[in-house]
């Protein structure tokens, strides 16, 4: 998998975490003849993070991230406003030349050759006209990160990708989780661009908790669902979820070097998150 990843994991010592780890490490692999891999239970918030962003101090980088989407948007807007104000002051002081538009291109080879020759005069109509300074607008939004991030595991699925061979689907819409993933994606992959991260979350983000990494056809994984489902139902009953399906509270955001071999997918930085509710409503 390219780049590093940010994962949301249940509290390490919680019975819910131990139950999922047992499924990943021993119960699910017993049902496959193909090789499977061991990994910690997690919901991926984002992958494809350039490792250079968090080197050499991964913990310092993770601690610097703002997971409050509303605060992140406000900070970006303030930075844009400051940048626009500084540019305006520089222009007024004569310390910054307004940007100019490039010479118009032409499909006529002769005109194109003339325009590229600085030694020849250019007609007034063909002279480049200075462009106005770019207008900077601030983004206003009512989106905010809810107090609690809810992860609701609703369905066991088989899929084609190696890393989603068997998964517990996390239900969408899930505003808190989506906001958390958007903030992570914006800062980890898009240099803080929240709008691009929002588009990614809407069109591509499929939150899930993987139970199996294996190089097998989807059809083969699909055949394993009845048996795996029986194991999960028994494990869930032992946990005795609350009426709303809650099985755990709290969590940790971890940074994992997923550009390495799977056996090396161990957290290199972590950050505790209290306002997370894990629900297991799969039947």
């Amino acid at each position: 998998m390219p780049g590093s990843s940010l994962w949301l994991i249940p509290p390490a010592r919680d019975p819910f975490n131990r139950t999922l780890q047992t499924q990943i490490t021993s119960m699910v692999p017993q049902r496959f003849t193909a090789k499977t891999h061991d990994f910690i239970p997690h919901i991926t918030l984002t992958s494809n993070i350039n490792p250079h962003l968090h080197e050499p101090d991964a913990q310092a980088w993770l601690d610097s991230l703002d997971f409050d989407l509303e605060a992140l948007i406000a900070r970006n807007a303030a930075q844009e406003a400051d940048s626009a104000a500084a540019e305006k002051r520089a222009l007024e002081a004569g310390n910054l030349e307004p940007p100019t538009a490039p010479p118009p291109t032409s499909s006529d080879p002769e005109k194109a050759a003339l325009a590229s020759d600085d030694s020849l005069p250019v007609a007034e109509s063909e002279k480049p006209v200075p462009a106005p300074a770019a207008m900077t607008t601030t983004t206003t939004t009512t989106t905010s990160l809810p107090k609690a991030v809810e992860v609701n595991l609703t369905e066991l699925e088989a899929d084609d990708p190696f890393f989603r061979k068997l998964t517990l689907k996390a239900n969408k819409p899930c505003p808190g989780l989506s906001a958390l993933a958007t903030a992570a994606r914006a800062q980890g992959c898009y240099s803080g661009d929240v709008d691009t991260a929002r588009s990614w979350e809407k069109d591509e983000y499929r939150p899930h908790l993987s139970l199996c990494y294996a190089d097998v056809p989807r059809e083969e994984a699909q055949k394993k669902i009845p048996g795996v489902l029986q194991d999960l139902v028994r494990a869930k009953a032992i946990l005795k979820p609350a009426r709303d399906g809650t099985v755990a509270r709290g969590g940790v955001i971890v940074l994992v070097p997923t550009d390495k071999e799977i056996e090396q997918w161990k957290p290199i930085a972590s950050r505790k998150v209290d306002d997370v509710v894990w629900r297991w409503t799969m039947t």
Side-chain angles (χ1 to χ4, degrees), residues 28-106:
V28 173
Q30 289 176 6
R31 298 188 177 276
F32 286 85
T33 56
K35 179 182 178 181
T36 60
H37 297 266
D38 197 11
F39 51 92
I40 61 176
H42 65 275
I43 299 284
T44 298
L45 297 175
T46 186
S47 55
N48 295 313
I49 298 171
N50 189 329
H52 292 301
L53 284 178
H54 57 73
E55 294 172 348
D57 192 338
Q59 187 62 54
W61 180 78
L62 180 57
D63 289 341
S64 73
L65 299 183
D66 192 343
F67 290 117
D68 184 330
L69 187 59
E70 184 178 10
L72 178 61
I73 292 170
R75 187 183 71 190
N76 288 349
Q79 290 175 346
E80 289 178 0
D82 290 345
S83 177
E87 182 177 342
K88 181 179 179 181
R89 289 194 297 269
L91 283 170
E92 291 174 345
N95 296 328
L96 182 66
E97 291 293 331
T100 57
T105 58
S106 172

Side-chain angles (χ1 to χ4, degrees), residues 27-241:
M27 299 299 289
V28 173
Q30 289 176 6
R31 298 188 177 276
F32 286 85
T33 56
K35 179 182 178 181
T36 60
H37 297 266
D38 197 11
F39 51 92
I40 61 176
H42 65 275
I43 299 284
T44 298
L45 297 175
T46 186
S47 55
N48 295 313
I49 298 171
N50 189 329
H52 292 301
L53 284 178
H54 57 73
E55 294 172 348
D57 192 338
Q59 187 62 54
W61 180 78
L62 180 57
D63 289 341
S64 73
L65 299 183
D66 192 343
F67 290 117
D68 184 330
L69 187 59
E70 184 178 10
L72 178 61
I73 292 170
R75 187 183 71 190
N76 288 349
Q79 290 175 346
E80 289 178 0
D82 290 345
S83 177
E87 182 177 342
K88 181 179 179 181
R89 289 194 297 269
L91 283 170
E92 291 174 345
N95 296 328
L96 182 66
E97 291 293 331
T100 57
T105 58
S106 172
S107 59
D108 186 329
E110 184 176 351
K111 285 187 177 181
L114 289 172
S116 64
D117 190 344
D118 294 335
S119 64
L120 297 176
V122 181
E124 287 294 327
S125 61
E126 295 181 354
K127 288 183 179 179
V129 179
M135 181 179 296
T136 303
T137 59
T138 57
T139 303
T140 58
T141 178
T142 57
T143 303
S144 62
L145 188 65
K147 182 178 180 180
V149 174
E150 296 184 4
V151 180
N152 187 7
L153 304 174
T154 60
E155 185 178 356
L156 179 63
E157 294 183 327
D159 209 339
D160 291 316
F162 176 88
F163 300 109
R164 295 204 305 264
K165 199 56 61 178
L166 277 179
T167 68
L168 284 170
K169 177 183 177 182
N171 195 41
K172 285 183 76 174
C174 45
L177 180 59
S178 293
L180 189 61
T182 299
R185 186 76 173 187
Q187 296 167 95
C189 302
Y190 301 138
S191 302
D193 185 344
V194 173
D195 289 337
T196 301
R198 275 180 169 155
S199 296
W200 165 83
E201 190 281 327
K202 178 182 178 182
D203 299 334
E204 301 181 42
Y205 187 51
R206 295 175 55 191
H208 61 275
L209 194 149
S210 291
L211 295 175
C212 180
Y213 296 167
D215 188 14
V216 299
R218 178 179 184 174
E219 293 74 18
E220 181 177 340
Q222 187 75 36
K223 294 177 182 178
K224 309 298 182 182
I225 284 184
V228 173
L229 189 58
Q230 287 182 353
D231 294 338
L232 292 175
V233 169
R234 284 194 291 266
K236 177 185 172 184
I238 294 173
L239 289 174
K240 297 180 179 179

